[in-house]
Amino acid sequence: MEFNFIALLLAGIVTLVVGFIWYHPNVFGTIWMRENNLTQEQLRTGNMLKIFGLTYVFSLMITMTLMSLTIHQSGAIGMVGGPPLVESAKPSFAAFMADYGTAYRTFKHGALHGFISGLFFAFPVIGINALFERKSWKYIFIHAGFWMVTLTLMGGIICGFA
């Protein structure tokens, strides 16, 4: 199975683009700052190259996980003896790929799995951390909403174009 690594690199940028919009003061940024007791001056401090650079690296790590969650063939290939370039590939691999090689490889399908990942993984993780940190439900919903939108778009890009 071939992958479009450019699509993975582009999917990694989604976190930055959605974050720029989501946390903008005219969207949820002002509420987010209030819930975190942050000021504009505090947000202007820090090494922005490090923050954005590491955000992109972490986003690429997320794309690798989303690839296995959205592209079902990647998990099934291991079960049927693939990939074909390896001598150990079984005849069932060719039959599987003939039947299901590109099945469910659409933006819509990836977006669905991305959203489900946000709802059933990111939301609970953020919720657990926020409860122990004594954060508000606004805080939880702002961050969980961000990750649901982000993972939806990332999943769509990965499944549809990678």
Side-chain angles (χ1 to χ4, degrees):
M1 232 171 67
E2 294 181 23
F3 295 104
N4 179 352
F5 287 101
I6 293 171
L8 295 175
L9 297 173
L10 290 174
I13 295 172
V14 169
T15 307
L16 295 164
V17 173
V18 173
F20 177 77
I21 296 167
W22 195 267
Y23 293 102
H24 189 277
N26 293 338
V27 184
F28 295 111
T30 304
I31 299 167
W32 171 76
M33 287 189 318
R34 193 174 336 125
E35 295 301 311
N36 283 294
N37 297 317
L38 293 170
T39 64
Q40 285 285 356
E41 293 75 34
Q42 289 172 311
L43 292 177
R44 288 189 187 102
T45 64
N47 183 339
M48 298 313 280
L49 182 62
K50 179 175 103 173
I51 291 168
F52 289 132
L54 287 174
T55 295
Y56 185 66
V57 169
F58 293 146
S59 295
L60 291 175
M61 293 167 68
I62 293 169
T63 65
M64 300 310 289
T65 301
L66 276 178
M67 189 167 55
S68 66
L69 295 174
T70 61
I71 300 174
H72 302 303
Q73 290 85 347
S74 58
I77 285 173
M79 294 177 7
V80 294
L85 299 178
V86 178
E87 295 80 31
S88 64
K90 297 183 171 101
S92 58
F93 175 78
F96 173 82
M97 290 307 286
D99 289 342
Y100 303 105
T102 58
Y104 303 108
R105 291 291 300 268
T106 65
F107 182 92
K108 184 172 132 178
H109 185 79
L112 172 67
H113 283 280
F115 177 78
I116 290 169
S117 299
L119 183 63
F120 290 103
F121 187 77
F123 176 51
V125 168
I126 291 165
I128 290 168
N129 284 347
L131 290 171
F132 279 98
E133 294 171 358
R134 309 308 192 261
K135 298 290 186 180
S136 70
W137 282 100
K138 282 183 190 177
Y139 174 94
I140 293 170
F141 289 135
I142 288 170
H143 285 306
F146 164 76
W147 281 110
M148 283 187 254
V149 169
T150 300
L151 292 171
T152 298
L153 293 172
M154 288 174 83
I157 291 168
I158 291 165
C159 190
F161 305 105

